[in-house]
Amino acid sequence: MPTRSLMRVQADPAPPRGGASRFFSSRNFLKIIEDTGEVGFWSADLRNGTLDATPGLYRILGLEPSAELPIGLLIDMIHPEDRAVHGDQFAMLMAGQPINREFRVVRPDRTQRWLQHRGEVALGADERPSYGMGVIFDVTARHDSMQAVMQRHDRLNALVTVTAAAFWTTTPQGELSECSQWMNLTGQSYAQTRGYDWLEAVHPEDRARTQAAWTTAVQHASAYNTEYRILCADGIYRWFNSRAAPVLNKDGSVREWVGICLNVPGQSRYGYQGLTVPDTTEPDTSDRPLTAAQVRAARGMVGLSKEELAKMAGVSISTIVRLEDANSPVRPRHDTVMAVRRALEQAGVTFTFDVGAKPGVREA
């Protein structure tokens, strides 16, 4: 039996009293909604199986408005992988049950669309299901967006799995919140990670520096990047590079922190933590870190202010201050120290590391 369109749209012959907003009939509003291309409506006589559909539903299903649309055809269009679960929709309506489902359909041109289907049942005089009515939304765009988000999430998980020893998140105040991988790495319990107690797993010699670096990052909502030794669950201290970044709200406040711990093979990159020089006749000192005394002496020798040296090396002034303070608990990264060293060498000094003597500096 051919279907009957519900979309005979026409304006009322004259605007009724009560304002211009009542000039349009419900069919006019229905057409405006359907012209979005994302919604269609149907009604059905559940006793004889006849179905009336609006042009919007034909458009969603990729069918010609003149085509017949029996209930069975709509069920047949459900994607084969979804049909076993969602092929009972009209059977549910005929049993008097409302439906709310999401599933895929395959259109005649072999394209696939995600649909959300909501249906209601009206009972007849005999209290049996008599009529059904429903609305179908094309939600393909939403599913595509969700798929893209899940794909990015899966890629990130894969990257973290192969590169990081632990992934963790903290509150805006810097206290661990999601830390199951940290607990697996260190053997600490959840209670032992509360507040700043997680620092108990950090080597005592690295603890003050680590806490100071983390506190500074949290206070300034700046990126965190430092290295320290962790007492792992097997009882062995190992070096890790710990990095974190703040996740910001729209108003610029910190919503949370996300961080990872990366394995550092062999010695730490912190030259201040026991870097050894190969025992050769002429040791390579090009990668040796500088002592606080060397930085102060070199800067004074070439007459540079802290601001000028920081600008030449591309580092912050606070980095220069920490480098010149032998008692500073926060030691800059090795590549930062090397940037300062290169700047001073370009300014005309040579750093000396003679065997049996204190590290020094002389004019080039």
Side-chain angles (χ1 to χ4, degrees):
M1 178 182 294
T3 60
R4 300 181 297 280
S5 173
L6 297 179
M7 290 295 293
R8 298 191 183 98
V9 179
Q10 61 182 13
D12 293 334
R17 294 178 182 179
S21 62
R22 297 179 56 191
F23 176 75
F24 294 101
S25 69
S26 59
R27 291 187 177 88
N28 292 112
F29 289 110
L30 184 64
K31 182 178 184 301
I32 293 173
I33 294 172
E34 287 204 332
D35 282 348
T36 65
E38 298 177 350
V39 63
F41 301 88
W42 62 265
S43 66
D45 185 327
L46 298 178
R47 298 187 176 182
N48 60 28
T50 59
L51 184 74
D52 286 334
T54 63
L57 183 54
Y58 278 95
R59 189 182 303 117
I60 289 174
L61 297 176
L63 298 173
E64 293 293 331
S66 59
E68 293 189 9
L69 186 57
I71 290 176
L73 176 60
L74 187 58
I75 298 300
D76 289 341
M77 292 181 68
I78 297 177
H79 192 285
E81 295 178 4
D82 298 345
R83 194 174 300 150
V85 176
H86 298 290
D88 64 342
Q89 295 180 63
F90 282 96
M92 294 288 292
L93 291 169
M94 291 175 183
Q97 299 295 321
I99 58 171
N100 186 357
R101 304 284 186 86
E102 284 196 13
F103 54 93
R104 291 167 293 176
V105 294
V106 180
R107 303 198 296 192
D109 62 1
R110 308 310 297 167
T111 59
Q112 299 181 30
R113 309 298 294 179
W114 274 97
L115 306 184
Q116 181 180 15
H117 183 196
R118 294 185 179 184
E120 297 286 347
V121 179
L123 303 180
D126 57 0
E127 299 299 318
R128 296 173 54 195
S130 179
Y131 295 97
M133 63 190 71
V135 57
I136 292 180
F137 300 94
D138 187 332
V139 293
T140 305
R142 173 163 61 83
H143 273 269
D144 288 346
S145 297
M146 291 175 58
Q147 182 65 28
V149 170
M150 291 301 299
Q151 186 178 54
R152 290 195 294 270
H153 182 266
D154 292 341
R155 288 172 177 172
L156 176 61
N157 277 345
L159 182 62
V160 169
T161 298
V162 300
T163 60
F167 170 83
W168 42 269
T169 64
T170 80
T171 65
Q173 295 74 35
E175 297 182 0
L176 284 173
S177 52
E178 180 184 336
C179 56
S180 58
Q181 293 185 357
W182 172 270
M183 292 189 293
N184 292 336
L185 176 65
T186 64
Q188 288 182 308
S189 66
Y190 181 77
Q192 290 173 326
T193 65
R194 298 304 81 204
Y196 276 63
D197 290 347
W198 58 271
L199 284 163
E200 294 299 317
V202 176
H203 194 286
E205 295 179 3
D206 305 334
R207 201 169 294 161
R209 171 175 56 79
T210 300
Q211 181 173 359
W214 178 237
T215 301
T216 299
V218 171
Q219 288 176 344
H220 298 281
S222 57
Y224 172 70
N225 187 348
T226 191
E227 292 178 359
Y228 48 81
R229 287 164 288 184
I230 294 176
L231 180 60
C232 298
D234 60 4
I236 299 175
Y237 278 105
R238 294 183 176 88
W239 281 101
F240 291 88
N241 175 239
S242 186
R243 304 187 181 197
V247 179
L248 304 180
N249 295 308
K250 290 183 178 179
D251 62 1
S253 61
V254 176
R255 183 167 72 241
E256 64 178 349
W257 288 79
V258 293
I260 57 175
C261 290
L262 304 170
N263 291 293
V264 178
Q267 295 274 2
S268 165
R269 289 196 296 266
Y270 277 98
Y272 298 93
Q273 301 297 324
L275 178 66
T276 58
V277 180
D279 185 14
T280 61
T281 304
E282 295 184 0
D284 181 9
T285 62
S286 61
D287 199 39
R288 285 288 298 271
L290 307 179
T291 67
Q294 282 179 301
V295 177
R296 290 195 302 269
R299 186 169 63 82
M301 186 176 294
V302 295
L304 290 173
S305 67
K306 294 177 182 177
E307 292 79 4
E308 290 170 333
L309 178 56
K311 184 176 181 180
M312 289 176 60
V315 301
S316 65
I317 298 175
S318 60
T319 295
I320 304 300
V321 173
R322 288 194 295 269
L323 273 175
E324 294 189 358
D325 182 3
N327 297 317
S328 173
V330 180
R331 306 310 303 176
R333 294 167 49 191
H334 184 61
D335 54 354
T336 302
V337 178
M338 290 299 102
V340 174
R341 175 175 175 172
R342 287 191 296 270
L344 288 168
E345 288 174 337
Q346 291 171 3
V349 299
T350 298
F351 295 99
T352 61
F353 300 91
D354 298 330
V355 178
K358 291 182 179 182
V361 59
R362 66 170 182 263
E363 292 188 41

